Amino acid sequence: MGMWASLDALWEMPAEKRIFGAVLLFSWTVYLWETFLAQRQRRIYKTTTHVPPELGQIMDSETFEKSRLYQLDKSTFSFWSGLYSEIEGTLILLFGGIPYLWRLSGRFCGYAGFGPEYEITQSLVFLLLATLFSALTGLPWSLYNTFVIEEKHGFNQQTLGFFMKDAIKKFVVTQCILLPVSSLLLYIIKIGGDYFFIYAWLFTLVVSLVLVTIYADYIAPLFDKFTPLPEGKLKEEIEVMAKSIDFPLTKVYVVEGSKRSSHSNAYFYGFFKNKRIVLFDTLLEEYSVLNKDIQEDSGMEPRNEEEGNSEEIKAKVKNKKQGCKNEEVLAMNSFLCFFLFAVLIGRKELFAAFGFYDSQPTLIGLLIIFQFIFSPYNEVLSFCLTVLSRRFEFQADAFAKKLGKAKDLYSALIKLNKDNLGFPVSDWLFSMWHYSHPPLLERLQALKILEMQMFTLKTNVMKDFQFLKLYVSLLHISVHFLNENLVCA
């Protein structure tokens, strides 16, 4: 009876208080769930102190222990930074930080001669102040992560001066993109009428395509040096490989990531018929260190270092090509979100729940609906995309296997994992929730299963062929025997 009375009393509360309470409750529920998963994975780091038997031939004890300690340090950092972020967000909501920042933005606009009717101008000041606050509060955590954790484990290559200059540059570039795009989006919503959500969605789609197109040529070079991959065997083979799998490759870049970190990777970006591949310089420099050991353990024929480098990188590029299939899902999700935003933007109780009783600014509506109201949907979508991405990664590995690159991909995955001190053992629940890429052990096991399936298929085909030959021979003998008996008769 008491529980039902409490629920009735809760339901009789004003709608804005129920909304505010639900937002806080869901935020802490997600945080506690994430912390629970992180502790499960941390237990794996603490208790798994020896190389698993499945990896005994491909990972030495020293590298395994380095990886374990690195992940333990990252886990500790993630716990404290996550706790701080959750407490900070809660305090901002409880003490009215969002409406306060909006009023402060209005005062700054007033000093410059802009009244309340200049809502878009006030919105841009709000964004500037909000991103500045986020950058300043996040700076100590970023410094600790770079100059304590990454430095301790041998990954950091930055000086403090380079780091600070880079941080300022990132902030400035972000504002140069964020503020004009936001002002145009707000203007479209203001003048778009009943179907503004369609125009807003198309606008964000166009902006995304433009940014993807100009990223490597104009934005990324502001932070890192991008150079075209020099002419040579590797570039020729990547281009040939791209044509063989109908990949619309236009350019191949090498990014100078070594001045920041010794982590290595490769990625591609672009859309439609305009795809580009980016290789880290650390990837090109260090990629075939394990090549000889892997060949000896697996019985592969020896290859020279240049050939090993080339084949491993090509296998990884093929894997990346097959693995990126979420663009259509994200585009449709964006349209759905803008449609729901159009439905909810007129609900005054949503604004009142966050301290906006007398006004309903469009930017604040975007913030409330996309960040808070959609948060349950966003969590579910994020998990679904993670599951989908893992499935695509397995398909990508199978695709590389189909093209005869299983051994090269096997070697490449091991090398990437060791270079980046990735821990090969994962808690199944943590992995399922967080990892868009399957853990190393799962991927290697899947590649071995594919090898076994292909071998079994070939064996069965050969058996069927031998049986067919035997059947034909018996048939031939039978016919010959019948013919002889018929002649004798």
Side-chain angles (χ1 to χ4, degrees):
M1 186 67 179
M3 183 185 69
W4 291 112
S6 300
L7 290 175
D8 289 338
L10 183 64
W11 188 253
E12 290 174 0
M13 293 174 61
E16 58 268 21
K17 291 189 179 297
R18 295 201 306 270
I19 293 171
F20 184 80
V23 167
L24 275 182
L25 177 62
F26 184 78
S27 177
W28 276 95
T29 300
V30 171
Y31 170 74
L32 292 175
W33 168 248
E34 297 275 3
T35 303
F36 166 72
L37 295 178
Q39 290 306 309
R40 287 176 60 100
Q41 181 64 21
R42 184 174 177 82
R43 194 179 304 119
I44 296 291
Y45 297 147
K46 285 185 173 182
T47 57
T48 311
T49 56
H50 300 287
V51 181
E54 302 92 333
L55 300 175
Q57 300 297 318
I58 58 178
M59 178 172 282
D60 58 88
S61 298
E62 183 182 358
T63 302
F64 185 83
E65 182 64 11
K66 286 181 179 179
S67 170
R68 191 180 73 87
L69 296 176
Y70 177 53
Q71 297 301 330
L72 271 173
D73 284 347
K74 287 178 64 178
S75 174
T76 302
F77 174 80
S78 178
F79 171 78
W80 290 111
S81 61
L83 178 62
Y84 168 80
S85 178
E86 187 65 23
I87 292 175
E88 179 191 79
T90 300
L91 292 177
I92 288 174
L93 291 178
L94 288 175
F95 291 97
I98 298 175
Y100 170 78
L101 192 61
W102 180 259
R103 291 193 298 270
L104 182 63
S105 304
R107 284 201 291 270
F108 280 126
C109 289
Y111 297 150
F114 296 100
E117 66 275 12
Y118 290 92
E119 183 186 315
I120 293 180
T121 303
Q122 186 174 348
S123 298
L124 298 184
V125 176
F126 177 89
L127 282 174
L128 179 62
L129 294 177
T131 51
L132 180 61
F133 174 81
S134 178
L136 292 177
T137 55
L139 184 61
W141 297 100
S142 183
L143 283 168
Y144 184 87
N145 182 56
T146 302
F147 292 100
V148 177
I149 296 179
E150 296 293 303
E151 184 80 30
K152 175 183 176 181
H153 295 277
F155 288 117
N156 177 47
Q157 305 294 328
Q158 304 179 68
T159 63
L160 181 61
F162 178 87
F163 178 90
M164 295 305 298
K165 184 176 73 171
D166 199 52
I168 294 172
K169 194 186 298 183
K170 285 180 181 177
F171 182 81
V172 172
V173 172
T174 299
Q175 303 312 310
C176 290
I177 297 173
L178 176 65
L179 298 183
V181 170
S182 299
S183 62
L184 287 173
L185 177 61
L186 294 173
Y187 181 73
I188 289 171
I189 293 174
K190 288 286 186 184
I191 68 168
D194 294 337
Y195 298 100
F196 75 85
F197 63 93
I198 297 177
Y199 309 133
W201 172 68
L202 290 173
F203 172 73
T204 55
L205 201 61
V206 170
V207 168
S208 300
L209 295 178
V210 170
L211 289 177
V212 165
T213 303
I214 68 174
Y215 174 77
D217 293 323
Y218 300 102
I219 299 176
L222 297 173
F223 305 97
D224 297 301
K225 184 179 180 181
F226 280 68
T227 56
L229 182 66
E231 297 294 334
K233 180 180 179 181
L234 177 60
K235 183 177 181 180
E236 291 175 1
E237 292 185 349
I238 289 178
E239 290 174 345
V240 170
M241 176 271 297
K243 290 181 181 179
S244 70
I245 56 178
D246 297 323
F247 183 68
L249 179 64
T250 55
K251 293 182 181 179
V252 183
Y253 289 104
V254 178
V255 58
E256 190 182 5
S258 56
K259 69 179 182 180
R260 298 174 180 278
S261 171
S262 57
H263 287 295
S264 59
N265 206 345
Y267 66 92
F268 84 89
Y269 66 96
F271 61 95
F272 303 133
K273 298 296 182 181
N274 186 24
K275 304 285 189 180
R276 304 173 188 189
I277 292 173
V278 177
L279 307 174
F280 281 51
D281 58 348
T282 49
L283 184 71
L284 298 179
E285 292 169 1
E286 303 173 359
Y287 216 92
S288 58
V289 175
L290 287 181
N291 195 44
K292 182 178 179 181
D293 295 336
I294 298 298
Q295 291 162 4
E296 291 176 353
D297 293 335
S298 60
M300 294 164 57
E301 293 183 3
R303 295 180 296 179
N304 61 48
E305 184 173 329
E306 182 182 354
E307 183 183 354
N309 228 346
S310 171
E311 294 303 316
E312 290 173 1
I313 293 173
K314 283 165 60 185
K316 191 64 181 171
V317 167
K318 287 180 179 180
N319 178 269
K320 290 291 182 183
K321 182 265 177 188
Q322 185 72 2
C324 187
K325 299 182 178 181
N326 287 343
E327 294 91 343
E328 297 87 352
V329 177
L330 294 176
M332 294 307 299
N333 173 67
S334 176
F335 179 81
L336 176 62
C337 288
F338 273 112
F339 173 74
L340 294 176
F341 170 76
V343 173
L344 297 173
I345 188 63
R347 304 297 295 268
K348 293 184 179 181
E349 59 268 27
L350 292 180
F351 290 89
F354 295 90
F356 290 84
Y357 299 99
D358 302 321
S359 62
Q360 291 83 43
T362 302
L363 178 65
I364 300 301
L366 286 167
L367 174 65
I368 291 172
I369 293 173
F370 277 81
Q371 183 170 341
F372 299 121
I373 304 304
F374 286 172
S375 54
Y377 167 75
N378 289 335
E379 288 295 327
V380 174
L381 177 67
S382 176
F383 174 69
C384 291
L385 289 177
T386 297
V387 173
L388 195 63
S389 178
R390 287 166 67 96
R391 179 183 175 188
F392 288 155
E393 283 296 323
F394 281 123
Q395 290 179 357
D397 291 349
F399 181 71
K401 170 66 187 74
K402 182 180 178 182
L403 295 173
K405 296 297 178 182
K407 292 180 181 179
D408 296 308
L409 180 59
Y410 193 94
S411 175
L413 290 173
I414 294 169
K415 180 60 179 146
L416 270 179
N417 188 81
K418 296 183 76 169
D419 284 348
N420 295 293
L421 290 184
F423 197 69
V425 184
S426 301
D427 173 74
W428 71 271
L429 193 57
F430 180 88
S431 170
M432 180 183 69
W433 186 262
H434 281 290
Y435 290 168
S436 59
H437 287 55
L440 175 67
L441 199 55
E442 290 184 28
R443 296 183 75 175
L444 297 184
Q445 289 171 344
L447 283 171
K448 285 185 177 181
I449 291 172
L450 284 170
E451 287 281 0
M452 293 175 61
Q453 288 175 343
M454 291 300 293
F455 176 78
T456 303
L457 178 63
K458 290 179 180 178
T459 303
N460 290 339
V461 169
M462 291 302 296
K463 287 181 178 178
D464 291 344
F465 181 68
Q466 294 295 334
F467 176 78
L468 183 61
K469 287 175 65 179
L470 178 61
Y471 175 76
V472 170
S473 298
L474 289 173
L475 184 63
H476 178 74
I477 293 171
S478 300
V479 171
H480 181 70
F481 177 77
L482 286 173
N483 286 337
E484 285 188 345
N485 283 313
L486 286 172
V487 170
C488 291

